[in-house]
Amino acid sequence: MGTEKEIVVSGIRSTGILHLGNYFGAIRNYIRMQEEFNCYFFVADWHALTTHPDPKELRGNVYRVLAENIASGLDPEKVTLYVQSDIPEIAELYLLLNMMAYKGELEKVPTFKDKVRQNPDNVNAGLLTYPVLMTADILVHRGLKVPVGKDQEQHLEMSRNFAQRFNNRYGYLFPEPVPFNYGDDLIKINSLDGVGKMSKSENQNSTIFLNDSDDDIRYKIKRAKTDSGPQEPNSAKPDYIANLFTMMGLVSTPDTIKHFEDTFNNCTIRYGDMKKQLAEDMVTFIAPIREKAEAIQQDTAYLTRIMRYGAEKARASAAQTLQEARKLMGINFY
């Protein structure tokens, strides 16, 4: 028996269609992590309920997100891939941790304040205690490493606090989870209109989705923001041009990239040619993922099997943790 692999836990939101930014920002790292760590990846359907989605949509979204992640390279044999609501132990740990979470600290969370501002008529308890559920998701497997974006780092800080509080009050059970990414590899892809990063909700025409048709991809890249080109040799690239080169770096051959780098540096670049080439390379990259995801989504029997298999593995791990937590808290009467 070798040394135990460290445990990585990450939630996948079940809203919105995955896009290029998600792929290179998160999924590609997951694919690398599945070779090195003991990974628990779950679809966060309970988290989605804070915004009251239509039940029909929720089901379709969960299927689609699983299909897109598997099509992108997540291997259900190598990772534990499951749906959050299939693991009742998470809900019980959430209840126990809520006893250690204080109203004042939860109200201060910036994402909570944002949600209240955006939607003052839907300030439900689930929204307030979102960081506690996120903590239960991680601690139920005694996760150590959590791949999170900048916007989630404060929630993770709270997870560490809750783990610490539990350990101090009842005895050591939980490692304190730390944010984790392959630092050299954090790729940020910006929106094609040059405004902010690619997003599921902002400008749909400036985001390349993993289910876009070949023609959609060509159309979107053709319309990407450019300018009249550099005036001086070896100029610095404006953000929106650098973004096209970033995308090219991900899907094109080294020769292609070198060609356009050279023409940029000697001021002869033709952005129309560059965008045409980028669009074709992007189509070649995305089409197989899209087709595979569509096929998986149609195969509900296969998806159900994956969910059941993932739930069994996740529940075995979660049940062990919960048993320990109850014992330490004195909730074991016979």
Side-chain angles (χ1 to χ4, degrees):
M1 203 40 202
T3 52
E4 287 286 303
K5 285 181 171 180
E6 286 180 320
I7 293 174
V8 168
V9 181
S10 188
I12 302 162
R13 290 177 192 192
S14 58
T15 47
I17 293 161
L18 294 177
H19 57 69
L20 207 60
N22 301 136
Y23 180 87
F24 286 107
I27 299 174
R28 200 172 62 155
N29 281 341
Y30 290 170
I31 294 164
R32 198 170 146 190
M33 286 169 196
Q34 70 186 359
E35 305 300 335
E36 297 172 38
F37 301 102
N38 181 3
C39 296
Y40 290 88
F41 294 138
F42 65 93
V43 181
D45 59 333
W46 275 335
H47 283 295
L49 294 177
T50 56
T51 54
H52 309 319
D54 174 334
K56 287 194 291 294
E57 270 177 25
L58 186 65
R59 185 189 170 122
N61 285 346
V62 167
Y63 281 8
R64 194 196 57 247
V65 157
L66 283 169
E68 287 179 337
N69 276 276
I70 296 166
S72 298
L74 265 200
D75 183 345
E77 297 291 325
K78 289 181 181 168
V79 303
T80 304
L81 188 60
Y82 60 98
V83 179
Q84 187 184 29
S85 59
D86 280 339
I87 317 300
E89 290 80 3
I90 296 171
E92 189 172 339
L93 185 58
Y94 168 53
L95 171 82
L96 300 178
L97 292 171
N98 267 321
M99 308 306 176
M100 282 170 264
Y102 298 103
K103 176 173 166 279
E105 68 184 338
L106 294 170
E107 285 173 341
K108 279 204 213 66
V109 177
T111 45
F112 175 69
K113 289 186 191 160
D114 289 345
K115 293 275 177 6
V116 173
R117 261 200 307 277
Q118 289 159 10
N119 214 335
D121 301 331
N122 179 26
V123 184
N124 54 66
L127 211 51
L128 180 67
T129 57
Y130 182 97
V132 189
L133 181 55
M134 179 173 158
T135 302
D137 289 324
I138 299 162
L139 298 187
V140 84
H141 301 300
R142 293 179 243 191
L144 178 64
K145 293 189 159 164
V146 184
V148 287
K150 275 271 169 270
D151 56 334
Q152 293 283 331
E153 276 185 9
Q154 202 200 354
H155 289 163
L156 202 57
E157 183 63 43
M158 295 184 80
S159 300
R160 280 199 290 280
N161 292 343
F162 295 138
Q164 220 169 29
R165 261 175 229 174
F166 184 98
N167 294 342
N168 291 341
R169 194 173 294 178
Y170 299 111
Y172 182 81
L173 176 59
F174 300 117
E176 290 175 33
V178 293
F180 166 66
N181 275 302
Y182 297 107
D184 54 332
D185 233 27
L186 274 188
I187 288 168
K188 194 167 130 235
I189 297 181
N190 289 326
S191 173
L192 296 173
D193 58 10
V195 183
K197 58 178 194 174
M198 268 197 189
S199 148
K200 293 174 184 174
S201 51
E202 297 301 316
N203 185 351
Q204 309 269 317
N205 278 330
S206 297
T207 296
I208 292 176
F209 294 98
L210 296 186
N211 71 349
D212 276 348
S213 72
D214 296 353
D215 285 343
D216 284 341
I217 294 167
R218 292 184 184 109
Y219 173 74
K220 288 177 180 181
I221 290 179
K222 188 179 176 181
R223 291 181 63 241
K225 181 178 176 181
T226 50
D227 52 28
S228 54
Q231 304 305 306
E232 312 253 311
N234 303 315
S235 301
K237 298 184 183 89
D239 290 352
Y240 48 92
I241 299 297
N243 190 46
L244 292 176
F245 276 97
T246 298
M247 292 187 344
M248 198 164 235
L250 300 169
V251 298
S252 303
T253 65
D255 291 353
T256 302
I257 300 157
K258 186 180 181 321
H259 167 73
F260 288 105
E261 285 285 359
D262 291 347
T263 56
F264 181 89
N265 289 331
N266 65 29
C267 305
T268 58
I269 189 159
R270 294 164 61 159
Y271 289 129
D273 294 347
M274 180 184 180
K275 290 200 281 191
K276 211 172 247 153
Q277 180 68 51
L278 174 60
E280 292 316 310
D281 293 342
M282 191 61 77
V283 163
T284 304
F285 176 79
I286 285 184
I289 299 178
R290 178 188 66 231
E291 286 157 15
K292 194 171 173 191
E294 281 167 4
I296 293 171
Q297 233 175 307
Q298 300 304 313
D299 191 349
T300 45
Y302 167 75
L303 277 175
T304 307
R305 215 166 47 244
I306 297 286
M307 288 190 251
R308 287 217 171 107
Y309 176 62
E312 269 169 47
K313 286 202 298 186
R315 284 201 73 177
S317 155
Q320 242 175 333
T321 302
L322 208 65
Q323 207 178 343
E324 295 289 317
R326 289 168 143 206
K327 207 157 53 193
L328 288 168
M329 293 176 83
I331 311 180
N332 56 334
F333 305 119
Y334 46 81

